[in-house]
Amino acid sequence: MNISKEQLDELNAVVTVDIAKEDYSDKVEKILKDYRKNANIPGFRKGHVPMGLVKKQYGKAVLVDEVNKLLQDALNKYLTEEKLDVLGNPLPKEQENFDWDTDSYSFEFELGLAPKFEVTLNGKKAVTHYKIVATEEMIDNQIKTIQKQYGKLVPKDIVEKEDLIAGSFTNEEKGIDNATTISLEKIKGKKNLDKFIGAKVGDVITLKTKGLFSDNHDLISALKIEHDEAHDLDIEVVFTISEINNQELADLDQELFDKLFGSGVIKTTTELKDKIKEDAERQFEQQSEQQLLNDITENILENTKFDLPIEFLQKWIRTTGEQPLTDDEAKDEYEKSEKGLRYQLIEGKIIKDNNLQVTFEELKDFSKDLIKKQMAQFGQNSPEDKELEDIAARILSNQDEVKRMSEQLMSKKMLNFFKENAKLKEKEMSFDEFIKEVYK
């Protein structure tokens, strides 16, 4: 057997594999002898079928199968030994008048080669690293929400601002008849609010749906309609009041603190505010870091330039899917996937050059840390190490879980690498300001 490579350019090559009779003949002969021992052919006893008949019936199929196995093994070994970094898979070149009746064969494969490049981590502009802080207003609103959640409902006779009103929305034409409870805090516009203030149980209020609630999702819930139906819905509905309640806020005392965080963990309102701020900003940090990873990714893609074997990749996409694609379809698919492929190559180079591979021990420690966090949510704050080891072992026996956690851990490693090496500028802002800036 002989294998040779013709380098067409930096990104394209053709590998030729020449297979001679002596490379496959012994293997084919052995398989045909085994076939002869076990063949059941009418007119012949088992094991006594003439070899000529066996070769005639099975010889070509066995030959093709063994040559293909030999070909794939040889090609894979060659790519590994020559350390060829290929994109996609080798594509066999079409050969006119190929003849399996000869003794020797020659096969050609097109290769798309990965480009050589250097990662440009820092462009002209620094990447913004957002630090999202919890504002006093946000903390106060959260405390009020907690007080409502743990407070109690006090029945009333007349509606006042901030009351909770139970009743039914109806509209015969649209088939709306839904019992619900609404908070006057969510009603939009003074005109609508004034219709409720001073009302009593049994009163009927006629309202326009357009602009009734500050959030359209509240309209969907109140009328029990589909999301698409709520968009620009402008009809009259009737609301019949069945119950009026005022939500009396829970006192900010030790009993409430212990319900929220356990006995003695929080002792003052100041400590409660600090805890809410800490928990909120921990959640914000996850969003901030995901945004940082996205922005650095875009920055690297913009500043790291290299060519790809486009024609080869489009051909590979066209021919290797479940269904063959047209040239235009393959081009479209390539354009959709090009950005992801470029980042995959960049990420692979960063991982290799900086030894960021995920080890099994790191994966085990990472899984144990995740388990501890989940157990803490259910009040188990001090699990024994053996228990963690057993749970981690069960999780790591699932290949899907291993893949998912490996990706999470690698993402974390990449983020830490970028934090240490990329040009960043910190920008502090509230969550609302962050949403406006990032999603503008």
Side-chain angles (χ1 to χ4, degrees):
M1 183 186 299
N2 181 57
I3 303 180
S4 59
K5 175 169 71 76
E6 179 188 0
Q7 192 77 32
L8 302 179
D9 54 42
E10 288 187 357
L11 300 174
N12 295 276
V14 173
V15 168
T16 303
V17 183
D18 295 316
I19 297 178
K21 185 175 182 179
E22 56 267 24
D23 296 322
Y24 62 82
S25 57
D26 289 348
K27 184 69 174 175
V28 169
E29 199 67 29
K30 181 179 181 305
I31 292 172
L32 289 175
K33 284 179 180 177
D34 290 339
Y35 271 43
R36 186 186 180 215
K37 291 177 186 177
N38 299 297
N40 288 311
I41 296 178
F44 299 95
R45 285 185 297 138
K46 187 175 181 180
H48 290 77
V49 179
M51 179 56 80
L53 187 58
V54 172
K55 286 184 177 181
K56 183 178 181 182
Q57 190 161 345
Y58 301 109
K60 181 67 67 70
V62 172
L63 170 67
V64 172
D65 189 44
E66 288 307 308
V67 168
N68 277 324
K69 287 180 184 176
L70 187 65
L71 178 63
Q72 289 303 320
D73 289 344
L75 185 59
N76 291 335
K77 185 179 178 182
Y78 176 80
L79 295 177
T80 302
E81 289 177 348
E82 294 296 315
K83 298 180 180 178
L84 294 176
D85 192 1
V86 299
L87 301 178
N89 294 312
L91 288 178
K93 292 186 72 174
E94 291 184 15
Q95 294 175 267
E96 293 183 9
N97 303 318
F98 187 86
D99 188 2
W100 282 103
D101 291 327
T102 59
D103 290 335
S104 58
Y105 312 101
S106 183
F107 301 91
E108 292 183 327
F109 293 87
E110 298 177 61
L111 302 183
L113 305 176
K116 290 180 171 54
F117 60 91
E118 294 300 321
V119 177
T120 305
L121 194 58
N122 294 310
K124 293 179 180 179
K125 294 182 179 179
V127 176
T128 301
H129 185 192
Y130 296 99
K131 183 181 180 183
I132 310 171
V133 295
T135 63
E136 283 294 323
E137 181 184 4
M138 175 181 282
I139 295 168
D140 289 342
N141 286 339
Q142 181 62 26
I143 289 175
K144 189 173 181 181
T145 299
I146 291 170
Q147 287 180 282
K148 284 182 177 180
Q149 184 181 347
Y150 287 88
K152 61 182 180 180
L153 294 177
V154 178
K156 296 180 62 179
D157 296 323
I158 298 175
V159 176
E160 294 180 283
K161 197 173 181 182
E162 297 187 2
D163 282 347
L164 290 173
I165 307 165
S168 296
F169 278 107
T170 57
N171 177 289
E172 190 174 338
E173 183 182 346
K174 291 286 185 179
I176 295 170
D177 187 0
N178 187 51
T180 186
T181 299
I182 58 175
S183 169
L184 285 193
E185 290 180 331
K186 295 184 177 182
I187 296 296
K188 184 179 178 182
K190 186 176 182 303
K191 186 177 179 181
N192 288 324
L193 198 60
D194 287 344
K195 290 184 178 182
F196 285 95
I197 301 299
K200 300 175 183 178
V201 172
D203 283 356
V204 176
I205 301 171
T206 302
L207 301 157
K208 283 277 191 179
T209 57
K210 190 172 180 64
L212 179 57
F213 289 96
S214 300
D215 187 335
N216 216 34
H217 289 89
D218 291 322
L219 181 67
I220 294 168
S221 175
L223 304 186
K224 207 170 184 180
I225 56 176
E226 296 296 325
H227 187 279
D228 292 342
E229 192 180 354
H231 186 65
D232 290 332
L233 182 67
D234 189 8
I235 60 172
E236 274 194 354
V237 288
V238 171
F239 184 77
T240 304
I241 299 175
S242 60
E243 192 177 330
I244 304 167
N245 291 292
N246 177 255
Q247 188 135 34
E248 191 173 281
L249 302 182
D251 291 331
L252 294 174
D253 55 18
Q254 194 61 49
E255 182 183 355
L256 178 61
F257 301 156
D258 291 348
K259 282 181 182 177
L260 292 171
F261 303 106
S263 180
V265 176
I266 300 294
K267 297 178 181 178
T268 66
T269 303
T270 300
E271 289 180 5
L272 174 63
K273 287 187 173 184
D274 290 342
K275 177 64 174 170
I276 291 173
K277 180 179 176 66
E278 178 189 336
D279 290 348
E281 290 182 353
R282 188 184 299 118
Q283 293 294 322
F284 294 155
E285 186 178 6
Q286 294 177 10
Q287 290 176 277
S288 169
E289 295 201 336
Q290 184 58 56
Q291 188 60 40
L292 177 62
L293 191 59
N294 293 345
D295 290 343
I296 291 179
T297 298
E298 291 296 328
N299 187 61
I300 293 174
L301 282 167
E302 185 179 335
N303 292 291
T304 302
K305 305 296 184 183
F306 53 83
D307 292 327
L308 289 169
I310 297 174
E311 188 176 335
F312 169 84
L313 289 170
Q314 289 180 0
K315 184 176 181 180
W316 178 70
I317 290 170
R318 189 177 74 243
T319 58
T320 57
E322 290 184 7
Q323 297 290 333
L325 302 178
T326 65
D327 288 347
D328 287 341
E329 288 172 336
K331 184 179 179 181
D332 287 343
E333 285 300 315
Y334 171 77
E335 288 174 354
K336 290 176 187 174
S337 60
E338 181 185 1
K339 193 174 182 180
L341 173 59
R342 287 183 178 277
Y343 185 70
Q344 189 178 351
L345 291 170
I346 292 169
E347 184 183 53
K349 182 169 177 59
I350 291 173
I351 291 169
K352 182 180 178 182
D353 291 352
N354 298 279
N355 195 30
L356 299 180
Q357 290 83 359
V358 173
T359 67
F360 180 77
E361 284 303 313
E362 287 175 327
L363 193 58
K364 187 167 76 169
D365 290 342
F366 183 66
S367 67
K368 286 165 69 175
D369 187 52
L370 289 177
I371 294 163
K372 279 196 286 189
K373 288 177 180 176
Q374 288 177 347
M375 293 176 79
Q377 292 177 355
F378 296 95
Q380 296 174 267
N381 293 311
S382 302
E384 293 184 4
D385 195 57
K386 184 180 184 308
E387 185 180 9
L388 289 174
E389 288 279 349
D390 291 344
I391 297 173
R394 288 199 299 273
I395 291 173
L396 295 176
S397 66
N398 184 317
Q399 290 304 307
D400 290 336
E401 284 296 308
V402 170
K403 182 175 182 294
R404 183 180 65 82
M405 286 195 295
S406 296
E407 289 171 352
Q408 286 181 336
L409 185 52
M410 180 53 68
S411 180
K412 187 176 179 181
K413 282 194 168 197
M414 290 293 289
L415 181 62
N416 289 336
F417 172 80
F418 291 144
K419 282 182 178 179
E420 292 170 7
N421 296 279
K423 191 194 318 183
L424 305 178
K425 61 176 181 181
E426 189 173 278
K427 189 172 183 180
E428 187 174 296
M429 58 178 56
S430 70
F431 182 70
D432 288 341
E433 290 169 336
F434 170 75
I435 295 298
K436 286 178 183 177
E437 177 153 334
V438 169
Y439 298 105
K440 59 189 175 184

